[in-house]
């Protein structure tokens, strides 16, 4: 069983900008990850299983809904604390962060922001401890980047709603107790509904054959005339902006998480460059190796500054969706590049499970796609700076 030797890089003394509480929260998450998850993550990745026994531990370190107020069972922390926890989780594995990110930003967040008081009291305390696990149903088989054209729908049947449709690529689906599902009513308006496991016609088949996020459970959500109690409709907001606001929160967490993966790859590459010898000297003595390390730490430092500032803006309620998109896109890109360079520096050893770069690399290929693809986030920035949307084009008429 390998030892987790991670030491986080801090080239610009970023810790000086964090409060003592921030550092305590981060270090608590780091220590827990090193003790409870790092020793077992490779085995679960290889077997494509999620370590279910760690769910309560994630709850204990505040990884589920860190910013949810204490009155609903959450720790009541700020957005930077949330980011730091996600950074430590993905530093270990993207699948670990995905599980916590979905629970926090895509399940607890919409219930807290748009749910009734009864819904908040019923679900949030159990979600905060990990006693209950949730998932988020937005993406459909034919509608990924274009969720507004979703097919899933529900009809008013008097004393209940009748839900039909399907969702795909849903993290946590195979073992989730509830799903926050987005579907259209009879007028075509998108609403959120809480679907509970055990409701007749609701199934969550697991998706197999993944070569990425293997330590995270992914499945489908299938609704075949599922009767939904009317009190399970989220009353606070409707329209596509509701699920997109949840994605803002999740993308914010991804920006921090991907940075954690980049930091882990750099830390291993730096250590290896000092230990591995070729031609009678450590490989870190060669110019090309120093170039790789210098570029890695430069990109990490830039991303740290970008992400911390975004956290400050989010704490103040000033962060825009476009700013979050920029950070998500940038940080995942630099993490992918750093993982690849770190893998090369390790030579053949870099493809083994003794080191985490290859696992990070494969995981990040999912992260660069989900919750807004790399190119979609580029277009979000483009639209923000030009004021001109480039997402859609009218199809030419056939002659």
């Amino acid at each position: 069983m390998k030892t987790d030797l991670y030491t986080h890089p801090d080239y610009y003394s970023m810790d000086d900008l964090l409060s003592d509480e921030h550092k305590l929260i981060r270090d608590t998450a780091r220590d827990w990850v090193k003790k409870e998850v790092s020793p077992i993550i490779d085995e679960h990745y290889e077997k494509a299983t999620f370590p279910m026994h760690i769910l309560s531990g994630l709850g204990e370190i505040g990884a589920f809904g860190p910013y949810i107020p204490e009155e609903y069972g959450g720790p009541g922390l700020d957005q930077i604390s949330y980011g730091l926890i996600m950074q430590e989780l993905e530093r270990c594995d993207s699948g670990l962060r995905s599980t916590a990110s979905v629970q926090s930003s895509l399940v607890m967040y919409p219930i807290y922001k748009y749910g009734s008081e009864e819904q908040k009291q019923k679900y949030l305390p159990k979600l905060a401890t990990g006693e209950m696990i949730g998932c988020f149903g937005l993406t459909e088989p034919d509608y990924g980047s274009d969720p507004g054209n979703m097919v899933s729908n529900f009809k008013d049947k008097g004393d209940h709603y009748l839900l039909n449709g399907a969702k795909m690529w849903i993290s946590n689906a195979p073992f989730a107790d509830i799903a926050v599902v987005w579907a259209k009513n009879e007028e075509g308006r998108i609403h959120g509904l809480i679907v509970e496991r055990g409701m007749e016609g609701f199934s969550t088949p697991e998706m197999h054959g993944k070569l990425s996020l293997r330590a995270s459970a992914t499945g489908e959500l299938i609704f075949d005339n599922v009767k939904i109690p009317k009190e399970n409709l989220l009353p606070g907001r409707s329209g596509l902006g509701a699920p997109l606001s949840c994605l803002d929160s999740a993308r914010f967490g991804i920006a921090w998480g991907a940075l954690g993966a980049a930091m882990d790859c750099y830390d291993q590459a730096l250590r290896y460059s000092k230990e591995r010898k070729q031609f009678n000297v450590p490989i870190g003595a060669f110019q090309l190796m120093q170039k790789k390390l210098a570029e890695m730490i430069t990109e990490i430092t830039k991303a740290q500054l970008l992400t911390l500032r975004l956290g400050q803006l989010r704490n103040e309620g000033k962060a825009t969706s476009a700013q979050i998109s920029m950070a998500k896109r940038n940080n995942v890109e630099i993490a992918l590049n750093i993982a690849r360079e770190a893998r090369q520096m390790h030579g053949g050893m870099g493809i083994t499970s003794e080191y985490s770069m290859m696992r990070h690399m494969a995981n990040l290929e999912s992260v660069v796609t989900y919750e807004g693809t790399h190119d979609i986030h580029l277009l979000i920035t483009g639209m923000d700076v030009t004021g001109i949307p480039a997402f859609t084009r009218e199809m030419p008429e056939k002659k």
Side-chain angles (χ1 to χ4, degrees), residues 305-317:
L305 291 164
L306 177 73
T307 311
L308 179 64
R309 179 57 184 151
L310 183 64
Q312 293 170 342
L313 289 171
R314 195 144 170 86
N315 275 342
E316 297 166 5

Side-chain angles (χ1 to χ4, degrees), residues 25 31 37-38 51 60 71 86 94 126 170 172 197 202 204 208 213 254 257 288 321 329-330 348 370 376 381 388:
I25 290 162
D31 292 344
V37 192
S38 294
E60 288 170 7
E71 63 183 298
M86 296 304 106
S94 299
K126 291 182 178 179
I170 310 301
N172 299 357
R197 184 171 295 282
F202 174 42
T204 60
H208 299 285
L213 292 182
I254 290 172
L288 285 177
S321 296
R329 181 181 181 276
N330 178 80
Y370 71 21
I376 287 291
T381 303
I388 306 170

Side-chain angles (χ1 to χ4, degrees), residues 170-227:
I170 310 301
S171 295
N172 299 357
F175 54 75
D177 300 290
I178 65 169
V180 174
V181 176
W182 303 91
K184 290 181 177 178
N185 65 8
E186 289 158 283
E187 288 74 46
R189 185 74 176 171
I190 294 172
H191 288 264
L193 304 112
I194 301 173
V195 184
E196 300 180 13
R197 184 171 295 282
M199 289 181 173
E200 188 175 352
F202 174 42
S203 57
T204 60
E206 186 165 3
M207 301 177 71
H208 299 285
K210 292 187 303 176
L211 300 179
S212 176
L213 292 182
R214 289 175 60 80
S216 172
T218 309
E220 299 175 71
L221 303 177
I222 297 175
F223 316 107
D224 183 9
N225 288 323
V226 182
K227 291 183 178 179

Side-chain angles (χ1 to χ4, degrees), residues 224-244:
D224 183 9
N225 288 323
V226 182
K227 291 183 178 179
I228 309 293
K230 287 202 164 180
E231 60 267 25
N232 282 31
L233 181 85
L234 296 178
R237 187 176 177 185
S238 64
L240 188 58
L244 292 183

Side-chain angles (χ1 to χ4, degrees), residues 37 40-41 44 49-55 96 215:
V37 192
I40 62 170
I41 194 64
H44 281 279
T49 57
F50 178 79
M52 296 290 293
H53 68 278
I54 68 169
L55 290 172
L96 180 64

Side-chain angles (χ1 to χ4, degrees), residues 121-133:
Q121 295 288 352
K122 179 179 180 180
Y123 298 110
L124 291 178
K126 291 182 178 179
L127 289 165
T129 62
E131 180 184 347
M132 184 178 282
I133 298 295

